[in-house]
Amino acid sequence: MTELREPRTGPRAEVRAALRAAVRGEVDFGPTARALTTMDASNYRRVPLGVVAPADADDVAAALSVCREHGVPVVARGGGTSIAGQATGTGVVLDFTRHMNRVLSLDPAGRRAVVQPGLVLDRLQEAAAPHGLRFGPDPSTHGRCTLGGMIGNNSCGSHSVAWGTTADNVAELSVIDGGGRALRLGRNWAGAPEGLRPLVETALGPLRTGFPSLPRRISGYALDALLPENGADVARSFCGSEGTLGLLTEAVVQLVEAPRAKALAVLGYADEGAAAEAAPGLLPHGPLTVEGMAADLVRGAAGLPRGGAWLFAETGGGTPAEARARADALVRAADAVDALVVTDPAAQRALWRVREDAGGTATRMRDGAEAWPGWEDCAVPPARLGPYLRDFRALLAAHGLRGTPYGHFGDGCIHVRIDFDLVTDAGVARFRRFSEELADLVVSHGGSLSGEHGDGQARAELLPRMYGPELTGLFERVKGVWDPDDLLNPGMLVRPAPLDANLRFAVLPREPVDVAFGYPRDGGDFAAAVRRCVGVAKCRTRTAPDGGVMCPSFRATGEEEHSTRGRARLLHEMLAGGVVTDGWRSEEVRDALDLCLSCRGCRSDCPVGVDMATYKAEFLHHHYAGRRRPAAHYAMGWLPLWLRTAARLRLARPLNALASVRPLARRAKRLGGVAAERELPELARRTFRTWFTRRSGAAGAAGGQDRAALLLWPDTFTDHFSPSVGRAAVRVLEAAGQRPGLPPDGVCCGLTYVSTGQLDRARAVLRRTLDLMEPHLGRPVVVLEPSCAAALRADLPELLHDDPRARRLADAVVTFAEALEKHAPDWEPPRLDRPAVGQTHCHQHAVLGDAAERRLRARAGLTGDLAGGCCGLAGNFGFERGHYEVSVACAQEQLLPAVRSAPEGAVVLADGFSCRTQLEQLGDRRGRHLAEVLAEALPEPSPAPSSAPSSGPSPDL
């Protein structure tokens, strides 16, 4: 499809053809590739001609040669997490992450590594760790940022107080300058392009006096590194040049010894000002980090000590006791309101995630208002941080703006997202005025406009306020030496584009788009929901975060378009209409969303709460409006209707028999859009509702739901595929002193209609459900299938946002464990005292939470944590034709390894029908719902009265 949408004639076609003839890597000028690279993590958007993924340094040189011949700009791109706009461009984008992404060599004795620019930092850390080494700088995006991007921006991270910036850890660089010359940069003018040394030697005075002295001075070109007293270090001076001087093809980086043990001291202060004043006093104690953040950036319980702001100070040592002693000494020296010292590695990671996620959580104020970068990382001398923050707060107030600072307090570097209005002309004008005044404020405190992320388009225009005309003029002349044709990332650092041009919001529709969901967190505006994605790319990691889910399809394919960020970018361009031109009919967006599992992981794991499952359902609803849908949408989207019909006509036996005949099963799967590799699950011969009704007796069933304290929801999967789960839940609830009833016949959560984007049908089903449930609203509703519970909790009120009954029913939904905890708090479950393995259902993780399940397992003596990730079946996803390989890859990531390595006698838990099915079909293991495990351990019930022979447990309990 990409081929058909690429240009066939004109200048773009000529450039594309020349590149394809010159390079061995991929050349893609199609709308998907272009849409995915229009933005980084900044406020800016620039549309490229196309994207090239070079195979090696020769490809880089060849691509640059073609672009120079055609006068086309070139932009180097790594993880695309730059926050100032420097990873976007209007020419050809070079994507180094696809091929040039390896550790070429590692010398433990010399503590050096040779790396390619597209290498993700965490991969280098993994390679160095067995030798007790690490790369010192570590931005919070360490799981997706690349070494090339770090060198381009001179990135720092939380450990810069110990190990400095990226420039401090670079030995040699191999680059190709704008003229196509291959250079090997080092010290003593090694590799310097012709003309650089004499130019610098004419400006020694300004270079010695014009650069502020502070640890986080990143702005402008680091020309002071070329001074003779600084070793004329050309490699160091190249760091932070944002791809404007040359294209990096290889780097020799220095490694540091990693502490054998670490401790984390979290210090609580009254507010961020007090924390900022205290930070410099901790530095003499030799901490590895001194990070700060305020309470406004913490969502939910985080295990932090008392306070309105915190400093995270990490200490190291040769032993855990030594690291702990240093942390304790630091706490004693700190004048904190409260303090906490953590030595457990898992607990430390959990606290660090709170700090690392601040870059995302800061994009939403407490009241839901949007906040944006622009002044993301200015820096002042650490001793000036407290006074600077007071002045910064006053300036915010004077402009009627809000923002919550956080960041590297020990280095005086502050990150902040501010609630700029970047949509209206008046708001953009205020953005400019504030930026100009804040630049002057930073300079008055002896600071740098950028302390980590570079100037890019966000601050380059303001560099004369920091350096004056003489030095900024020198920057332009240096750029001319390296890149005489101004092809490399033009508009950055020198001759910059205005800071209020190319804003990514300008292309979005000003009026809300007509949509089906309510988007309550975004004021009903689909465009606002889509622009939640700011590009921090937490979804672009090779491994899921501890216990996390997002984004299984990216981890399976490694393709940007299959990440949450990539899909959000395509939706953004769909709304913009310039690159993706077909609107809701876009095949590019459809193809990218096709491998979205609707696992909902991004709803909780994304720092800004992007909800791609909802966006996908919305898109499919519009995409197929008035058109024929894929067969799977009818076969699996309408599954509740087909199964109720089969049960009413008593077709379970014959259908199971037909499914066992392979030729018939193959034909049925082909007609239904089901993957040929999948086995069709067997229908229960007696539904859960039938069992419950007969067990209770006709009279009891007629009035049982009115007398029951709580209602047990007979979801489609429990009712028709796994009635044993429902029977087990009844038995446990009754053992706990509860008398569950069933809702009226015909209720449905609408999950399958929502996941296939049949939202009109979903609304009709849910309104009928509300009509049936109206007499019972307010009564607890126990839902055993996590995906159905999540649909009722989240989709119902967002899809029927105009019906107040929807919220009442959503609020009444409880999981099995929550029901026991809330309504039978004194009941003690049977003791199993066995290890448990399996996987927390992705919808449970994302929407419902599993705290009650964890507590129930602990009370029952089920030890161990369940795996994170997604099983890969994900409802209809893993059954649909074309999804099998990705489905298997997702299962192989965490679920199957966890089960295969389970200790002997372990209980395999899987509360979701999809998880159980995936385990059975791929792992040949039977997973069980927690209700089944508990029911099996209960004492045998007393014999049922002879007048009710069908009462009592099922034989398979």
Side-chain angles (χ1 to χ4, degrees):
M1 195 66 217
T2 300
E3 287 287 332
L4 297 178
R5 300 295 297 274
E6 290 189 345
R8 298 189 179 190
T9 60
R12 278 181 57 213
E14 292 177 10
V15 175
R16 180 200 63 188
L19 285 168
R20 285 185 171 168
V23 306
R24 290 175 292 109
E26 291 83 2
V27 176
D28 193 342
F29 276 44
T32 296
R34 296 171 66 220
L36 293 173
T37 49
T38 56
M39 292 175 277
D40 49 16
S42 71
N43 296 328
Y44 301 100
R45 170 185 178 270
R46 296 191 294 174
V47 179
L49 284 179
V51 179
V52 173
D56 52 25
D58 290 340
D59 263 5
V60 176
L64 179 58
S65 176
V66 169
C67 290
R68 188 169 57 251
E69 180 182 346
H70 288 81
V72 173
V74 177
V75 178
R77 185 178 174 102
T81 57
S82 295
I83 299 181
Q86 61 267 53
T88 67
T90 57
V92 168
V93 172
L94 298 184
D95 175 9
F96 286 95
T97 62
R98 186 181 293 270
H99 302 300
M100 298 180 68
N101 56 14
R102 293 176 296 147
V103 176
L104 298 178
S105 65
L106 197 149
D107 175 14
R111 294 185 180 178
R112 287 190 171 190
V114 181
V115 302
Q116 293 180 309
L119 176 72
V120 171
L121 174 59
D122 273 2
R123 307 290 82 78
L124 175 59
Q125 305 292 37
E126 291 166 2
H131 307 287
L133 302 173
R134 57 165 290 155
F135 189 65
D138 56 346
S140 61
T141 54
H142 52 81
R144 57 269 193 199
C145 69
T146 64
L147 269 295
M150 293 177 66
I151 290 168
N153 293 340
N154 193 10
S155 300
C156 308
S158 60
H159 287 89
S160 59
V161 295
W163 297 312
T165 71
T166 297
D168 295 316
N169 294 272
V170 163
E172 296 178 354
L173 299 176
S174 296
V175 307
I176 301 172
D177 72 4
R181 295 164 294 191
L183 307 173
R184 184 77 168 182
L185 313 182
R187 293 175 64 85
N188 298 316
W189 295 107
E194 184 179 350
L196 181 62
R197 183 171 182 173
L199 178 60
V200 168
E201 288 177 343
T202 64
L204 295 179
L207 292 181
R208 288 187 171 113
T209 61
F211 289 84
S213 177
L214 70 162
R216 287 296 194 98
R217 190 253 303 155
I218 305 299
S219 282
Y221 291 136
L223 300 184
D224 56 330
L226 298 174
L227 289 168
E229 58 266 34
N230 292 332
D233 195 336
V234 183
R236 185 184 181 93
S237 74
F238 185 89
C239 294
S241 59
E242 302 181 15
T244 62
L245 302 182
L247 299 173
L248 179 71
T249 59
E250 188 176 290
V252 180
V253 297
Q254 298 166 340
L255 305 175
V256 298
E257 184 176 353
R260 294 185 179 181
K262 292 185 289 187
L264 177 61
V266 184
L267 310 169
Y269 294 88
D271 54 37
E272 78 203 18
E277 296 279 6
L282 303 181
L283 299 180
H285 297 274
L288 301 176
T289 64
V290 181
E291 300 287 289
M293 67 183 298
D296 283 352
L297 299 177
V298 179
R299 304 292 187 256
L304 296 167
R306 289 181 298 112
W310 298 274
L311 292 179
F312 291 62
E314 187 178 76
T315 58
T319 64
E322 184 180 351
R324 172 74 194 229
R326 289 177 176 172
D328 288 338
L330 193 147
V331 169
R332 288 193 298 270
D335 184 17
V337 172
D338 194 10
L340 171 71
V341 175
V342 180
T343 56
D344 175 65
Q348 289 184 48
R349 287 196 300 270
L351 287 167
W352 275 123
R353 280 198 300 273
V354 174
R355 161 61 187 88
E356 291 174 354
D357 283 351
T361 55
T363 64
R364 284 296 185 275
M365 309 301 290
R366 283 283 185 180
D367 60 3
E370 296 170 307
W372 304 106
W375 281 94
E376 176 64 21
D377 66 317
C378 55
V380 298
R384 298 291 306 161
L385 184 58
Y388 165 74
L389 280 179
R390 286 194 294 273
D391 290 346
F392 170 75
R393 283 291 189 187
L395 186 62
L396 280 176
H399 284 269
L401 296 169
R402 297 177 297 165
T404 303
Y406 65 99
H408 314 292
F409 282 24
D411 273 337
C413 180
I414 293 300
H415 299 315
V416 64
R417 302 289 173 101
I418 300 172
D419 64 340
F420 296 120
D421 167 15
L422 298 177
V423 176
T424 68
D425 292 341
V428 173
R430 179 168 60 170
F431 168 61
R432 168 171 281 282
R433 290 194 304 273
F434 176 84
S435 297
E436 292 169 346
E437 292 180 31
L438 183 55
D440 292 337
L441 177 63
V442 171
V443 172
S444 73
H445 283 273
S448 173
L449 305 187
S450 172
E452 179 168 21
H453 296 145
D455 300 304
Q457 187 176 341
R459 288 175 290 273
E461 182 189 352
L462 303 171
L463 286 177
R465 296 171 182 258
M466 176 179 171
Y467 286 114
E470 185 176 7
L471 272 180
T472 51
L474 182 62
F475 291 166
E476 288 195 30
R477 293 161 65 195
V478 167
K479 163 77 166 173
V481 170
W482 285 88
D483 180 27
D485 298 321
D486 197 21
L487 289 180
L488 300 179
N489 214 3
M492 302 294 139
L493 286 179
V494 302
R495 295 181 291 277
L499 61 86
D500 50 359
N502 305 319
L503 293 172
R504 67 187 179 100
F505 318 96
V507 297
L508 293 176
R510 294 295 179 94
E511 298 298 322
V513 179
D514 184 25
V515 287
F517 282 97
Y519 302 100
R521 297 182 300 163
D522 299 291
D525 186 353
F526 183 68
V530 168
R531 66 175 180 252
R532 275 184 173 271
C533 179
V534 294
V536 296
K538 190 178 178 183
C539 50
R540 269 183 57 96
T541 53
R542 197 174 74 175
T543 57
D546 292 345
V549 175
M550 181 183 72
C551 177
S553 52
F554 174 78
R555 292 195 298 278
T557 69
E559 298 288 345
E560 171 80 12
E561 68 181 286
H562 298 141
S563 69
T564 304
R565 182 180 74 172
R567 293 172 178 126
R569 291 291 181 258
L570 282 163
L571 287 168
H572 188 285
E573 295 304 323
M574 179 195 82
L575 293 174
V579 181
V580 177
T581 57
D582 295 338
W584 294 112
R585 298 298 198 202
S586 167
E587 295 181 6
E588 294 85 12
V589 179
R590 180 203 63 194
D591 292 346
L593 289 170
D594 182 56
L595 290 187
C596 171
L597 287 84
S598 296
C599 67
R600 298 179 184 263
C602 47
R603 185 180 175 107
S604 60
D605 294 350
C606 173
V608 295
V610 169
D611 185 359
M612 195 53 62
T614 296
Y615 305 170
K616 176 181 179 180
E618 185 76 63
F619 175 82
L620 294 176
H621 167 68
H622 295 279
H623 185 75
Y624 289 109
R627 297 200 293 178
R628 184 176 178 179
R629 289 172 165 272
H633 287 200
Y634 301 107
M636 288 175 271
W638 288 59
L639 192 64
L641 176 63
W642 306 140
L643 293 179
R644 282 200 305 271
T645 301
R648 187 168 61 251
L649 299 177
R650 299 184 179 180
L651 296 177
R653 253 182 228 273
L655 287 174
N656 289 338
L658 291 173
S660 67
V661 180
R662 292 196 175 276
L664 294 177
R666 281 198 299 270
R667 181 169 178 78
K669 286 187 282 189
R670 188 165 59 250
L671 291 173
V674 176
E677 300 90 339
R678 286 290 175 190
E679 295 295 325
L680 297 175
E682 188 172 292
L683 293 174
R685 285 178 289 177
R686 183 170 61 166
T687 67
F688 169 62
R689 183 179 284 277
T690 299
W691 171 85
F692 189 92
T693 302
R694 291 180 180 175
R695 176 181 186 269
S696 303
Q705 61 201 30
D706 296 323
R707 297 194 302 269
L710 48 80
L711 300 178
L712 188 58
W713 189 269
D715 65 84
T716 295
F717 307 101
T718 299
D719 200 22
H720 297 279
F721 292 117
S722 303
S724 61
V725 173
R727 296 193 294 264
V730 169
R731 185 173 176 193
V732 174
L733 288 169
E734 289 181 344
Q738 301 300 300
R739 179 173 178 166
L742 295 189
D745 194 8
V747 298
C748 179
C749 70
L751 169 68
T752 57
Y753 302 105
V754 172
S755 64
T756 53
Q758 301 181 76
L759 300 185
D760 289 337
R761 177 63 182 170
R763 277 192 291 234
V765 166
L766 289 170
R767 287 202 190 279
R768 183 188 66 198
T769 294
L770 290 177
D771 291 341
L772 292 169
M773 288 295 295
E774 189 159 9
H776 313 286
L777 291 177
R779 193 176 303 180
V781 178
V782 185
V783 186
L784 301 172
E785 172 61 42
S787 57
C788 295
L792 289 169
R793 281 244 189 115
D795 294 331
L796 169 63
E798 293 179 18
L799 199 53
L800 296 185
H801 48 89
D802 57 343
D803 192 330
R805 300 176 300 172
R807 173 50 59 192
R808 291 186 63 196
L809 178 54
D811 291 344
V813 169
V814 292
T815 67
F816 173 69
E818 288 172 341
L820 290 171
E821 190 168 83
K822 292 179 180 179
H823 303 289
D826 297 328
W827 179 71
E828 284 299 323
R831 291 290 302 183
L832 293 148
D833 295 321
R834 294 169 63 185
V837 298
Q839 189 171 54
T840 299
H841 193 286
C842 51
H843 291 190
Q844 177 105 41
H845 167 83
V847 178
L848 308 169
D850 67 340
E853 280 69 21
R854 289 175 180 270
R855 289 189 289 268
L856 179 57
R857 293 199 303 267
R859 289 167 60 199
L862 290 171
T863 58
D865 290 325
L866 303 188
C870 177
C871 73
L873 196 61
N876 57 294
F877 176 86
F879 274 99
E880 287 187 16
R881 188 164 48 238
H883 294 170
Y884 183 75
E885 290 184 1
V886 170
S887 176
V888 172
C890 293
Q892 294 283 11
E893 186 202 358
Q894 293 194 57
L895 175 61
L896 295 182
V899 171
R900 287 166 180 160
S901 61
E904 187 175 352
V907 175
V908 179
L909 289 174
D911 283 358
F913 172 73
S914 292
C915 304
R916 295 194 297 273
T917 302
Q918 187 80 309
L919 272 173
E920 185 177 345
Q921 294 197 0
L922 299 183
D924 197 26
R925 295 289 297 270
R926 180 173 181 261
R928 291 185 292 169
H929 194 287
L930 181 58
E932 293 180 286
V933 175
L934 295 179
E936 187 179 72
L938 289 172
E940 288 297 324
S942 302
S946 58
S947 59
S950 62
S951 64
S954 168
D956 55 345
L957 286 186

